Amino acid sequence: MQITLDLLPVEKRGKLPENQDKLAFGQLRTDHMFLMDYYDNAWRNPRIVPYGPLSLMPGAMCLHYGQTLFEGCKAFMHDDGELYLFRFDKNAERLNHSAEVLCMPTIPVADQMQAALALLDVERHWCPTKPESSLYIRPVMFATQDCLGIRASSSYTYCIMLSPSGPYYADGFSKAIKLLVTEKYHRAAPGGTGSAKAGGNYGASLKPCQYAYAHGASQVLYLDASNEYIEEAGAMNHYHVLSDGTFVIPTFVESILQSVTSLSVLELGALGRIKARQDRVPIKSFLEDIKSGRIVEAGGFGTAAVVSPVGTYLMEDGTEYVVGDGGIGKYSRGLYELYSSIQTGRAEAPKGWLAKVERRA
């Protein structure tokens, strides 16, 4: 794939704040974006252009039938002054899985990598350097054919935008959250789009999130369709920690989105750097193990927050289950520090986890 650069001066929408401690997550954009178009059964015209509005017909099928997907990844500035992309190949693989679920065209992983690296090279000066900050990467693909028939589109746009971001939570990794265990709402069902990072899945999550807020919780804990097994924690994969320090992640089924963070945690476990495994987790035994002290920590894994510890599980009848002392436990903190250190080059990364953003001549 040959990427065309269109680097004419663009109007500045902003710049990195002088005090990066005030840098919010996902609010700021860089000067350029990557675009590529799909039509006549092929991806065409890969280019880097000024960030700005996209032209879209009112009949574009993404607006009517939900053929929209996205990804989320991060790049980090290391102490050597170079920019490194973290595990984007895994996000590219997941994007292709989502595309197949939604009857959209796939993009070779190598082409997705080339696009991301080229854009990051152009925008490397936008990367923040404060702890817990990153250059967040948002690829998105959507259907563009102007047609009102219910079927797969024949044309698509693939876009990558960048967002200089601080921590997902304004206070950073400083406190545990509360989850509402709900039997009323479900994220996905077997045979659906649960394993895809489809835009519609997130639109459907807004109502359950409001439901959690109304009960004084930060998010919901989703169960499976039978209300028997734990599936996901809001927009994150769930985890808990046993008293021996083992991280347990619910077994991936077709109604769970496989988090790249969860996959990485499992790989760190296979390498012997932590203890981690997967298992089906019945909600009944989970709550009993919290009460008995067998479960000492719990939380969620995801790209945005990385590790989001949960201190309290709230039932819909008002019963509360406090995990450990209700704060951030030593195992969750230790994993967060290890993972963050790998991302930022302060700890050795497993082979292939980091891709240096080479400087073009």
Side-chain angles (χ1 to χ4, degrees):
M1 180 173 64
Q2 183 64 43
I3 297 174
T4 301
L5 300 182
D6 182 4
L7 302 183
L8 298 175
V10 296
E11 180 181 352
K12 300 291 184 180
R13 293 165 309 288
K15 61 180 180 179
L16 284 173
E18 294 182 5
N19 181 3
Q20 292 186 23
D21 292 334
K22 296 182 179 179
L23 185 62
F25 181 87
Q27 298 299 311
L28 192 59
R29 302 289 177 268
T30 65
D31 293 324
H32 295 88
M33 60 184 176
F34 173 86
L35 291 176
M36 185 164 62
D37 307 306
Y38 182 90
Y39 56 92
D40 293 339
N41 298 311
W43 285 104
R44 306 171 188 276
N45 193 23
R47 60 207 184 272
I48 293 175
V49 298
Y51 181 84
L54 298 172
S55 177
L56 197 65
M57 298 303 290
M61 296 176 78
C62 65
L63 301 177
H64 302 267
Y65 306 126
Q67 273 193 297
T68 306
L69 59 83
F70 69 97
E71 272 298 327
C73 191
K74 291 178 178 179
F76 300 85
M77 190 67 69
H78 287 199
D79 290 341
D80 62 1
E82 298 294 337
L83 189 60
Y84 290 82
L85 180 56
F86 183 75
R87 307 218 74 181
F88 186 81
D89 56 327
K90 293 299 180 184
N91 291 93
E93 291 172 3
R94 190 172 65 178
L95 182 141
N96 283 341
H97 168 75
S98 299
E100 289 173 350
V101 170
L102 296 174
C103 297
M104 300 169 75
T106 60
I107 306 172
V109 171
D111 288 350
Q112 293 187 58
M113 283 287 295
Q114 184 184 350
L117 290 168
L119 181 60
L120 285 166
D121 178 40
V122 169
E123 306 287 68
R124 64 174 61 241
H125 61 285
W126 278 96
C127 188
T129 56
K130 287 290 186 179
E132 300 188 87
S133 66
S134 65
L135 193 50
Y136 181 77
I137 304 156
R138 171 55 62 89
V140 59
M141 187 199 302
F142 50 91
T144 57
Q145 184 183 3
D146 188 352
C147 178
L148 301 183
I150 302 176
R151 56 174 174 77
S153 174
S154 64
S155 61
Y156 299 86
T157 292
Y158 174 71
C159 173
I160 304 177
M161 65 190 84
L162 304 177
S163 177
S165 293
Y168 185 74
Y169 296 114
D171 296 330
F173 190 78
S174 62
K175 62 182 180 180
I177 63 173
K178 178 185 291 187
L179 290 185
L180 173 68
V181 181
T182 179
E183 295 185 356
K184 179 177 181 180
Y185 293 101
H186 297 87
R187 178 185 171 274
T193 61
S195 66
K197 203 165 179 66
N201 291 345
Y202 292 80
S205 74
L206 301 179
K207 191 71 172 180
C209 188
Q210 289 182 343
Y211 182 66
Y213 292 160
H215 285 76
S218 298
Q219 255 294 358
V220 295
L221 178 66
Y222 289 113
L223 307 178
D224 71 338
S226 69
N227 288 325
E228 184 177 358
Y229 293 97
I230 289 175
E231 292 212 327
E232 297 206 52
M236 303 176 289
N237 281 176
H238 190 261
Y239 76 88
H240 66 260
V241 185
L242 302 177
S243 56
D244 68 352
T246 299
F247 286 83
V248 180
I249 298 170
T251 302
F252 295 137
V253 294
E254 61 181 339
S255 49
I256 293 178
L257 178 72
Q258 295 189 19
S259 164
V260 173
T261 308
S262 290
L263 292 172
S264 300
V265 169
L266 293 169
E267 289 181 41
L268 289 173
L271 293 170
R273 297 178 72 169
I274 60 170
K275 291 190 284 188
R277 62 176 174 83
Q278 286 191 289
D279 201 356
R280 292 283 270 164
V281 183
I283 183 61
K284 182 177 179 180
S285 61
F286 173 74
L287 297 174
E288 290 173 349
D289 287 345
I290 289 177
K291 289 179 66 176
S292 71
R294 182 170 183 263
I295 290 177
V296 296
E297 300 176 25
F301 289 141
T303 296
V306 183
V307 180
S308 186
V310 174
T312 304
Y313 289 82
L314 172 65
M315 309 304 291
E316 288 171 313
D317 66 3
T319 304
E320 292 193 352
Y321 293 81
V322 177
V323 186
D325 64 2
I328 299 176
K330 64 179 181 180
Y331 298 111
S332 296
R333 184 176 297 279
L335 176 60
Y336 176 80
E337 291 174 352
L338 170 63
Y339 201 85
S340 298
S341 294
I342 290 172
Q343 290 179 317
T344 55
R346 300 191 307 273
E348 182 181 359
K351 184 178 180 180
W353 280 29
L354 293 170
K356 183 178 178 181
V357 181
E358 300 294 345
R359 298 175 183 268
R360 294 193 177 195

